[in-house]
Amino acid sequence: MEKQKLSIPENIPLQWELLRGFGVKELLRSAVVMAVVLVGVVLYCTISDSPIKMLTAVAVVLFFGLSCGGLFTKQSYGLSMYDYVKYAIQFGRSQKQYDNVPEELIYEEKR
């Protein structure tokens, strides 16, 4: 009896995902960013005398929460915006750098 290889369709995730394209790894990355944001918001709330400090704090937390979702969620081709930025920086560092020193040109006047 011959064994058959079964292929997994591309649109079926291989790992558990909270939302489509947002799994455990993305959740952990977002949690780290949000922990830093929450520490900053708590410091802002304790230091600030503004009458709308709670509204500002909630707006900042919501903004960064939605930004993390958009930044770390993987698209249908398996890369997120964070991955694109990371790979672009790696590619830029791997390229040979040339010093662009302009040559000094001396023009002589015709008499």
Side-chain angles (χ1 to χ4, degrees), residues 75-103:
Q75 306 300 321
S76 59
Y77 37 82
L79 294 176
S80 64
M81 291 303 294
Y82 171 77
D83 294 330
Y84 274 126
V85 170
K86 182 175 69 172
Y87 292 143
I89 291 171
Q90 287 177 356
F91 179 75
R93 288 183 181 162
S94 69
Q95 298 300 302
K96 186 173 181 177
Q97 300 291 323
Y98 293 99
D99 293 331
N100 236 357
V101 179
E103 296 180 17

